[in-house]
Amino acid sequence: MLNFLGMPIQASTHANDVDSLIVIVHWLMFVLFIGWGAFFLFVLFRFRKAANPTASYTGAKGHISKYLEIGIVVIEGVLLVFYAIPAWATRVRDFPDKTKAVGVRVVGEQFAWNVHYPGPDGKFGRTDIKLIAADNPLGLDRTDPDAKDDITAINQLTVPIDEPILVHLSSKDVIHSFGVYELRVKQDAVPGLEIPVWFIPNKAGTYEITCSQLCGLGHYRMRGFVNVKTKAEYEQFIADEEKALAK
Ligand SMILES: [Cu+2]
């Protein structure tokens, strides 16, 4: 049912909910398109000049159009109340338990995605705008005890499969948008705000992070990758990074 829309693969647990809504809306729009199109053709024929030399001053008297419009409003209301709002609520209200989710900070900048893992202690180290430099794009303060084991990466977000991932999203300069189509995730990154966004990836692979807000001249090349790995591979990745840090 989805193929005709050319949707990307579904790589997160909530992807199907998003797609069902998109499909239902497309079907509704298809029915409306056919209905209104047929009505338009009917009107062109029914009220043609040859059959109606004098204009009607009263207009249509039937109630069918009124009932049809009420019907459409009801269907749209059902879509909103029973599909769209519940699907959205699970994204913005039912956040996973912080202690169980894999927490990671993602900070957008012109034109890259900076990734910040808290390391084995689970605590993000202090960051300071004064410490931002070419080799420290996050401004991480390595003298802070919480920062000692923190891992940073640029444009590569590695996460384990089948676990809730809680991304704390922010930006250093302008508004960016963290869009990963295969995960059906899209959230603006706004300077001065830390916006949480979560998902459970359920298909291993590499998916592109496309900045989805026009953010400047280099917007087109602001791309990163989400690497969804098995739990063992993810743990190996963290261990390797920790080893490299200790050197
Ligand atoms: Cu951007």
Side-chain angles (χ1 to χ4, degrees):
M1 187 152 105
L2 287 169
N3 291 345
F4 76 99
L5 290 175
M7 305 287 276
I9 62 155
Q10 300 176 333
S12 69
T13 52
H14 71 275
N16 197 48
D17 290 348
V18 175
D19 290 0
S20 318
L21 183 62
I22 292 173
V23 167
I24 295 171
V25 169
H26 274 78
W27 276 117
L28 176 64
M29 290 306 126
F30 179 72
V31 170
L32 290 184
F33 174 73
I34 297 295
W36 293 136
F39 178 68
F40 177 63
L41 293 177
F42 166 74
V43 166
L44 282 183
F45 173 77
R46 172 68 183 76
F47 301 106
R48 66 193 186 280
K49 193 181 171 192
N52 305 273
T54 336
S56 157
Y57 295 105
T58 50
K61 291 198 196 78
H63 291 293
I64 298 173
S65 67
K66 192 158 92 187
Y67 298 139
L68 276 175
E69 276 166 23
I70 291 171
I72 292 162
V73 168
V74 169
I75 294 171
E76 285 175 349
V78 166
L79 273 181
L80 193 63
V81 173
F82 294 99
Y83 286 88
I85 293 175
W88 182 237
T90 58
R91 311 313 319 151
V92 297
R93 190 193 56 194
D94 305 333
F95 279 98
D97 191 339
K98 262 196 183 148
T99 56
K100 289 187 188 111
V102 175
V104 59
R105 289 179 67 224
V106 172
V107 183
E109 69 168 77
Q110 288 171 322
F111 299 95
W113 297 101
N114 296 287
V115 179
H116 181 187
Y117 295 89
D121 69 353
K123 286 184 202 149
F124 291 108
R126 196 177 78 86
T127 54
D128 190 333
I129 197 166
K130 292 193 199 89
L131 296 172
I132 289 177
D135 60 347
N136 186 6
L138 284 157
L140 187 60
D141 178 4
R142 288 286 183 190
T143 62
D144 175 29
D146 292 340
K148 291 231 171 355
D149 62 349
D150 287 16
I151 298 163
T152 61
I154 298 175
N155 291 332
Q156 296 292 335
L157 172 59
T158 302
V159 293
I161 195 169
D162 293 330
E163 279 189 53
I165 314 298
L166 182 57
V167 175
H168 305 277
L169 201 59
S170 60
S171 166
K172 273 160 66 173
D173 37 41
V174 300
I175 298 175
H176 301 279
S177 184
F178 180 79
V180 191
Y181 295 96
E182 291 83 355
L183 300 172
R184 304 295 189 275
V185 166
K186 190 171 284 176
Q187 172 62 55
D188 277 6
V190 182
L193 292 181
E194 193 176 87
I195 303 173
V197 53
W198 75 281
F199 53 88
I200 301 175
N202 61 0
K203 231 183 223 97
T206 297
Y207 310 115
E208 190 177 324
I209 307 169
T210 31
C211 181
S212 308
Q213 284 284 4
L214 193 53
C215 59
L217 282 175
H219 166 70
Y220 70 94
R221 61 180 160 86
M222 185 169 170
R223 62 205 282 258
F225 295 91
V226 177
N227 306 303
V228 179
K229 305 256 188 193
T230 64
K231 195 169 166 64
E233 284 170 337
Y234 171 73
E235 277 165 4
Q236 189 58 47
F237 159 77
I238 296 287
D240 289 347
E241 291 292 316
E242 287 301 328
K243 230 180 271 167
L245 261 187
K247 274 181 198 157

